[in-house]
Protein backbone atom coordinates (compact mmCIF):
# COMPACT_ATOMS: atom_id res chain seq x y z
CA UNK A 1 0.00 0.00 0.00
CA UNK A 2 1.11 3.63 -0.21
CA UNK A 3 3.91 4.85 2.04
CA UNK A 4 2.87 6.41 5.34
CA UNK A 5 2.16 10.07 4.70
CA UNK A 6 4.76 11.13 7.29
CA UNK A 7 4.47 14.84 7.12
CA UNK A 8 7.67 16.86 7.17
CA UNK A 9 7.82 18.92 10.33
CA UNK A 10 9.15 22.45 10.08
CA UNK A 11 10.29 24.84 12.77
CA UNK A 12 7.13 26.90 12.13
CA UNK A 13 5.07 24.01 13.55
CA UNK A 14 6.47 24.84 16.99
CA UNK A 15 6.42 27.67 19.51
CA UNK A 16 9.93 27.82 21.01
CA UNK A 17 10.11 28.13 24.82
CA UNK A 18 12.95 28.40 27.32
CA UNK A 19 16.53 27.40 26.56
CA UNK A 20 17.25 24.14 28.45
CA UNK A 21 20.94 23.67 27.67
CA UNK A 22 23.59 23.93 25.03
CA UNK A 23 26.92 22.43 24.15
CA UNK A 24 29.20 21.62 21.26
CA UNK A 25 26.66 20.13 18.89
CA UNK A 26 23.46 21.74 19.74
CA UNK A 27 21.11 23.94 21.65
CA UNK A 28 18.10 22.43 23.40
CA UNK A 29 14.84 24.31 23.85
CA UNK A 30 11.47 23.57 25.34
CA UNK A 31 8.89 23.76 22.55
CA UNK A 32 5.18 23.28 21.93
CA UNK A 33 3.60 21.93 18.76
CA UNK A 34 1.10 24.58 17.65
CA UNK A 35 -1.84 22.35 16.66
CA UNK A 36 -1.88 19.90 19.57
CA UNK A 37 -0.05 21.99 22.22
CA UNK A 38 2.05 18.86 22.78
CA UNK A 39 5.19 19.85 24.72
CA UNK A 40 8.51 18.56 23.41
CA UNK A 41 12.20 19.37 23.52
CA UNK A 42 13.77 20.54 20.28
CA UNK A 43 17.48 20.03 19.78
CA UNK A 44 18.92 22.41 17.15
CA UNK A 45 22.13 21.24 15.51
CA UNK A 46 24.12 23.20 12.92
CA UNK A 47 24.53 21.16 9.74
CA UNK A 48 27.90 22.80 9.09
CA UNK A 49 29.31 21.64 12.45
CA UNK A 50 28.02 18.10 11.93
CA UNK A 51 29.44 17.83 8.41
CA UNK A 52 32.77 19.32 9.58
CA UNK A 53 33.04 16.49 12.10
CA UNK A 54 31.62 13.97 9.60
CA UNK A 55 28.85 13.22 12.10
CA UNK A 56 25.89 13.28 9.83
CA UNK A 57 26.24 9.52 9.11
CA UNK A 58 26.57 8.79 12.83
CA UNK A 59 23.56 11.00 13.53
CA UNK A 60 21.48 9.33 10.80
CA UNK A 61 22.35 5.88 12.17
CA UNK A 62 21.62 7.09 15.69
CA UNK A 63 18.27 8.54 14.63
CA UNK A 64 17.29 5.30 12.87
CA UNK A 65 18.05 3.32 16.03
CA UNK A 66 16.62 5.77 18.54
CA UNK A 67 13.37 6.50 16.70
CA UNK A 68 12.40 2.82 17.06
CA UNK A 69 13.27 2.57 20.77
CA UNK A 70 10.15 2.62 22.94
CA UNK A 71 10.57 1.94 26.68
CA UNK A 72 9.51 3.81 29.84
CA UNK A 73 13.18 4.25 30.82
CA UNK A 74 14.47 5.44 27.45
CA UNK A 75 13.93 9.08 26.44
CA UNK A 76 11.85 9.10 23.26
CA UNK A 77 13.15 10.50 20.01
CA UNK A 78 9.82 11.34 18.35
CA UNK A 79 11.26 12.48 15.06
CA UNK A 80 13.53 14.89 13.25
CA UNK A 81 13.56 17.37 10.42
CA UNK A 82 16.00 19.76 8.80
CA UNK A 83 16.23 22.99 6.86
CA UNK A 84 19.16 24.39 4.92
CA UNK A 85 20.94 25.48 8.13
CA UNK A 86 20.10 22.99 10.85
CA UNK A 87 19.02 19.51 11.82
CA UNK A 88 16.32 19.36 14.53
CA UNK A 89 15.60 16.46 16.87
CA UNK A 90 12.11 16.23 18.39
CA UNK A 91 12.60 14.75 21.87
CA UNK A 92 10.49 13.78 24.86
CA UNK A 93 10.57 16.41 27.62
CA UNK A 94 11.61 15.32 31.14
CA UNK A 95 10.19 18.00 33.47
CA UNK A 96 12.49 17.26 36.43
CA UNK A 97 15.67 17.72 34.38
CA UNK A 98 18.87 15.72 34.66
CA UNK A 99 19.87 13.41 37.49
CA UNK A 100 23.37 14.90 37.63
CA UNK A 101 21.99 18.25 38.87
CA UNK A 102 19.62 16.43 41.25
CA UNK A 103 22.59 14.48 42.69
CA UNK A 104 24.75 17.60 43.08
CA UNK A 105 21.86 19.41 44.80
CA UNK A 106 21.45 16.76 47.52
CA UNK A 107 25.11 15.66 47.38
CA UNK A 108 24.22 11.96 47.58
CA UNK A 109 21.08 9.77 47.44
CA UNK A 110 19.86 7.55 50.27
CA UNK A 111 19.95 3.81 49.55
CA UNK A 112 16.24 3.42 48.71
CA UNK A 113 16.23 6.34 46.24
CA UNK A 114 19.50 5.10 44.68
CA UNK A 115 18.17 1.53 44.37
CA UNK A 116 14.91 2.79 42.83
CA UNK A 117 16.82 4.82 40.20
CA UNK A 118 19.36 2.01 39.54
CA UNK A 119 16.54 -0.52 39.09
CA UNK A 120 14.99 1.72 36.40
CA UNK A 121 18.36 2.26 34.68
CA UNK A 122 18.88 -1.54 34.62
CA UNK A 123 15.43 -2.07 33.07
CA UNK A 124 16.32 0.51 30.40
CA UNK A 125 19.60 -1.27 29.66
CA UNK A 126 17.95 -4.72 29.50
CA UNK A 127 15.69 -3.24 26.81
CA UNK A 128 18.59 -1.52 24.98
CA UNK A 129 20.64 -4.74 24.98
CA UNK A 130 17.59 -6.67 23.68
CA UNK A 131 17.54 -4.16 20.78
CA UNK A 132 21.28 -4.75 20.17
CA UNK A 133 22.23 -1.30 21.48
CA UNK A 134 25.25 -1.00 23.82
CA UNK A 135 27.48 1.54 25.46
CA UNK A 136 25.18 4.39 25.85
CA UNK A 137 27.79 6.45 27.61
CA UNK A 138 26.04 6.03 30.96
CA UNK A 139 26.59 8.80 33.49
CA UNK A 140 24.27 10.93 35.63
CA UNK A 141 24.44 13.72 33.03
CA UNK A 142 22.76 11.36 30.55
CA UNK A 143 19.89 10.43 32.84
CA UNK A 144 16.75 12.55 33.00
CA UNK A 145 13.93 12.50 35.52
CA UNK A 146 10.33 12.64 34.38
CA UNK A 147 8.02 12.58 37.43
CA UNK A 148 10.20 9.96 39.14
CA UNK A 149 10.70 7.90 35.97
CA UNK A 150 14.37 7.78 34.99
CA UNK A 151 14.99 8.20 31.25
CA UNK A 152 18.26 7.23 29.57
CA UNK A 153 18.91 10.04 27.11
CA UNK A 154 21.78 9.35 24.80
CA UNK A 155 23.03 12.91 24.70
CA UNK A 156 25.22 11.92 21.84
CA UNK A 157 27.53 14.84 22.41
CA UNK A 158 26.80 15.96 25.95
CA UNK A 159 24.93 19.13 25.25
CA UNK A 160 24.22 19.69 28.85
CA UNK A 161 22.62 22.49 30.69
CA UNK A 162 25.12 24.43 32.80
CA UNK A 163 25.49 21.45 35.14
CA UNK A 164 29.07 20.78 34.10
CA UNK A 165 31.01 18.14 36.04
CA UNK A 166 33.98 19.77 37.78
CA UNK A 167 36.60 16.97 37.60
CA UNK A 168 38.84 17.02 34.55
CA UNK A 169 37.84 13.57 33.37
CA UNK A 170 34.08 13.81 33.75
CA UNK A 171 33.23 11.13 31.27
CA UNK A 172 36.39 8.97 31.55
CA UNK A 173 35.52 7.96 35.11
CA UNK A 174 32.94 5.51 33.83
CA UNK A 175 35.33 3.67 31.50
CA UNK A 176 35.84 -0.06 32.28
CA UNK A 177 39.31 -1.68 32.34
CA UNK A 178 38.86 -3.26 28.87
CA UNK A 179 38.30 0.20 27.34
CA UNK A 180 41.13 1.79 29.34
CA UNK A 181 43.35 -0.97 27.88
CA UNK A 182 41.92 -0.23 24.43
CA UNK A 183 40.74 -3.81 24.01
CA UNK A 184 37.54 -4.68 22.19
CA UNK A 185 34.50 -4.40 24.38
CA UNK A 186 30.92 -5.62 24.41
CA UNK A 187 27.64 -4.82 26.16
CA UNK A 188 29.20 -5.76 29.53
CA UNK A 189 30.81 -2.31 29.64
CA UNK A 190 27.32 -1.17 30.65
CA UNK A 191 27.39 -3.57 33.65
CA UNK A 192 30.59 -1.88 34.86
CA UNK A 193 29.06 1.58 34.28
CA UNK A 194 26.03 0.68 36.40
CA UNK A 195 28.45 -0.25 39.20
CA UNK A 196 30.17 3.14 38.90
CA UNK A 197 26.79 4.92 38.76
CA UNK A 198 25.53 3.12 41.89
CA UNK A 199 28.69 4.09 43.76
CA UNK A 200 28.35 7.73 42.66
CA UNK A 201 24.65 7.88 43.67
CA UNK A 202 25.51 6.61 47.19
CA UNK A 203 28.86 8.37 47.76
CA UNK A 204 28.42 11.60 45.76
CA UNK A 205 31.77 10.89 44.03
CA UNK A 206 32.92 8.29 41.51
CA UNK A 207 34.91 5.28 42.82
CA UNK A 208 38.12 5.98 40.85
CA UNK A 209 38.19 9.77 41.27
CA UNK A 210 41.72 10.90 40.37
CA UNK A 211 43.65 14.11 39.80
CA UNK A 212 45.25 12.92 36.57
CA UNK A 213 44.27 10.74 33.65
CA UNK A 214 47.17 8.27 34.14
CA UNK A 215 46.26 7.80 37.81
CA UNK A 216 42.59 7.34 36.87
CA UNK A 217 43.49 4.67 34.31
CA UNK A 218 45.79 2.91 36.81
CA UNK A 219 43.04 2.82 39.45
CA UNK A 220 40.42 1.58 37.00
CA UNK A 221 42.72 -1.14 35.65
CA UNK A 222 43.51 -2.27 39.19
CA UNK A 223 39.85 -1.90 40.25
CA UNK A 224 41.33 0.11 43.09
CA UNK A 225 38.43 1.62 45.08
CA UNK A 226 37.21 1.76 48.67
CA UNK A 227 33.73 2.07 50.14
CA UNK A 228 32.76 4.88 52.52
CA UNK A 229 31.84 3.45 55.94
CA UNK A 230 28.12 4.31 55.54
CA UNK A 231 27.61 1.93 52.57
CA UNK A 232 25.43 -1.04 53.64
CA UNK A 233 26.88 -4.53 53.14
CA UNK A 234 24.26 -5.23 50.43
CA UNK A 235 25.21 -2.04 48.56
CA UNK A 236 28.90 -3.01 48.76
CA UNK A 237 28.16 -6.52 47.51
CA UNK A 238 25.97 -5.19 44.64
CA UNK A 239 28.74 -2.82 43.45
CA UNK A 240 31.54 -5.40 43.91
CA UNK A 241 29.69 -7.86 41.68
CA UNK A 242 29.56 -5.25 38.87
CA UNK A 243 33.05 -3.70 39.22
CA UNK A 244 34.82 -6.91 38.20
CA UNK A 245 37.92 -6.43 36.02
CA UNK A 246 36.97 -9.35 33.82
CA UNK A 247 33.68 -8.68 31.94
CA UNK A 248 32.63 -12.36 32.16
CA UNK A 249 32.73 -12.24 35.96
CA UNK A 250 30.33 -9.29 36.16
CA UNK A 251 26.82 -9.98 37.45
CA UNK A 252 24.24 -9.84 34.61
CA UNK A 253 21.51 -7.20 34.60
CA UNK A 254 18.88 -9.86 35.32
CA UNK A 255 20.87 -10.99 38.39
CA UNK A 256 21.30 -7.36 39.43
CA UNK A 257 17.51 -6.83 39.41
CA UNK A 258 17.17 -9.79 41.81
CA UNK A 259 20.04 -8.71 44.10
CA UNK A 260 19.07 -8.24 47.82
CA UNK A 261 20.15 -4.57 47.68
CA UNK A 262 17.54 -3.88 44.97
CA UNK A 263 14.80 -6.13 46.37
CA UNK A 264 15.26 -4.77 49.91
CA UNK A 265 14.94 -1.15 48.68
CA UNK A 266 12.20 -1.23 46.07
CA UNK A 267 9.24 0.48 47.70
CA UNK A 268 6.33 -1.90 47.12
CA UNK A 269 4.13 1.01 45.97
CA UNK A 270 5.88 0.33 42.66
C1 LIG B 1 16.77 10.44 22.98
O1 LIG B 1 17.54 11.56 23.32
C2 LIG B 1 18.53 11.93 22.46
C3 LIG B 1 18.88 11.23 21.28
C4 LIG B 1 19.93 11.69 20.48
C5 LIG B 1 20.62 12.84 20.85
C6 LIG B 1 21.74 13.37 20.02
O2 LIG B 1 22.09 14.52 20.16
N1 LIG B 1 22.38 12.50 19.18
C7 LIG B 1 23.42 12.86 18.32
C8 LIG B 1 23.75 14.18 18.02
C9 LIG B 1 24.81 14.46 17.15
C10 LIG B 1 25.54 13.41 16.57
C11 LIG B 1 25.20 12.09 16.89
C12 LIG B 1 24.15 11.82 17.75
C13 LIG B 1 20.28 13.53 22.01
C14 LIG B 1 19.22 13.07 22.81
N2 LIG B 1 18.81 13.67 24.01
C15 LIG B 1 19.15 14.93 24.40
O3 LIG B 1 19.87 15.64 23.79
C16 LIG B 1 18.59 15.40 25.72
C17 LIG B 1 18.27 16.90 25.60
S1 LIG B 1 18.25 17.70 27.17
C18 LIG B 1 16.68 17.38 27.77
N3 LIG B 1 15.83 16.59 27.12
C19 LIG B 1 14.60 16.36 27.65
N4 LIG B 1 14.19 16.92 28.80
C20 LIG B 1 15.02 17.72 29.48
N5 LIG B 1 14.59 18.28 30.67
C21 LIG B 1 16.30 17.98 28.97
BR1 LIG B 1 17.51 19.07 29.93
Amino acid sequence: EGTKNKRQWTIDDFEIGKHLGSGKFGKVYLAREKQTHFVVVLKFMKKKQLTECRLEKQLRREIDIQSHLKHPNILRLYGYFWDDLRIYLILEYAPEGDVFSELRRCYRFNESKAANYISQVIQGFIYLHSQGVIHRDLKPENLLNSCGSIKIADFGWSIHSNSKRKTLCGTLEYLPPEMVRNEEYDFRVDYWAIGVLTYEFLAGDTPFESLSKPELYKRIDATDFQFPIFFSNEAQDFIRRLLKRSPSERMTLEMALRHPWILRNICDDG
Side-chain angles (χ1 to χ4, degrees):
E1 71 283 354
T3 56
K4 250 202 247 166
N5 59 348
K6 267 211 193 249
R7 55 182 304 240
Q8 257 290 13
W9 291 108
T10 76
I11 192 65
D12 301 329
D13 291 321
F14 300 92
E15 280 156 339
I16 307 303
K18 72 173 176 175
H19 175 243
L20 288 176
S22 60
K24 201 153 176 272
F25 283 100
K27 286 183 180 302
V28 173
Y29 292 88
L30 203 49
R32 193 170 74 167
E33 201 277 322
K34 288 175 181 169
Q35 307 299 324
T36 60
H37 282 194
F38 190 75
V39 172
V40 294
V41 158
L42 279 185
K43 181 172 180 180
F44 294 44
M45 289 183 286
K46 285 220 169 48
K47 260 185 181 169
K48 203 166 66 65
Q49 256 182 348
L50 286 170
T51 38
E52 265 158 24
C53 306
R54 289 187 306 289
L55 278 173
E56 69 270 42
K57 272 192 300 307
Q58 148 106 15
L59 177 60
R60 207 164 293 286
R61 203 174 42 247
E62 172 112 4
I63 286 173
D64 286 347
I65 298 172
Q66 301 245 6
S67 46
H68 296 99
L69 296 178
K70 291 182 181 58
H71 186 274
N73 299 119
I74 306 292
L75 193 78
R76 285 296 311 282
L77 171 64
Y78 295 124
Y80 60 101
F81 57 94
W82 60 88
D83 54 27
D84 45 12
L85 259 186
R86 291 191 190 90
I87 292 177
Y88 304 84
L89 300 183
I90 310 172
L91 300 166
E92 174 185 0
Y93 172 51
E96 277 69 46
D98 69 283
V99 173
F100 177 75
S101 312
E102 188 182 339
L103 181 60
R104 286 294 174 269
R105 271 196 300 273
C106 59
Y107 186 54
R108 58 175 180 260
F109 295 151
N110 65 43
E111 298 215 357
S112 64
K113 176 171 183 169
N116 176 14
Y117 281 12
I118 292 297
S119 155
Q120 293 188 60
V121 168
I122 291 174
Q123 290 169 70
F125 272 103
I126 288 175
Y127 172 76
L128 286 181
H129 291 172
S130 73
Q131 305 300 307
V133 175
I134 61 165
H135 198 42
R136 311 293 295 163
D137 190 13
L138 176 64
K139 50 188 191 267
E141 292 90 323
N142 279 352
L143 297 175
L144 295 169
N145 185 333
S146 178
C147 317
S149 278
I150 298 303
K151 309 275 179 180
I152 300 168
D154 175 358
F155 280 74
W157 307 84
S158 68
I159 47 95
H160 232 318
S161 49
N162 42 29
S163 61
K164 284 275 170 270
R165 195 180 276 266
K166 296 292 163 270
T167 56
L168 77 149
C169 18
T171 53
L172 300 177
E173 281 156 343
Y174 278 72
L175 289 180
E178 60 271 28
M179 289 187 81
V180 158
R181 287 200 310 274
N182 250 321
E183 289 164 5
E184 90 234 355
Y185 63 85
D186 62 16
F187 56 92
R188 286 172 297 203
V189 299
D190 293 337
Y191 298 5
W192 174 278
I194 288 169
V196 176
L197 184 74
T198 307
Y199 185 103
E200 183 167 13
F201 278 177
L202 293 174
D205 307 300
T206 50
F208 307 105
E209 199 101 17
S210 304
L211 294 176
S212 75
K213 210 160 129 178
E215 195 211 332
L216 172 70
Y217 282 11
K218 199 158 67 69
R219 294 194 60 200
I220 290 172
D221 195 39
T223 57
D224 159 24
F225 66 95
Q226 279 89 28
F227 289 114
I229 41 126
F230 54 81
F231 272 41
S232 72
N233 293 333
E234 289 87 355
Q236 294 189 31
D237 184 74
F238 180 85
I239 292 167
R240 261 197 213 97
R241 288 177 190 276
L242 290 168
L243 295 187
K244 289 282 187 199
R245 193 168 186 280
S246 146
S248 58
E249 283 176 30
R250 291 168 200 160
M251 158 169 77
T252 66
L253 299 182
E254 289 73 14
M255 289 158 71
L257 275 185
R258 288 197 300 275
H259 187 280
W261 183 66
I262 296 285
L263 297 180
R264 190 190 65 161
N265 280 296
I266 289 299
C267 42
D268 41 21
D269 63 12

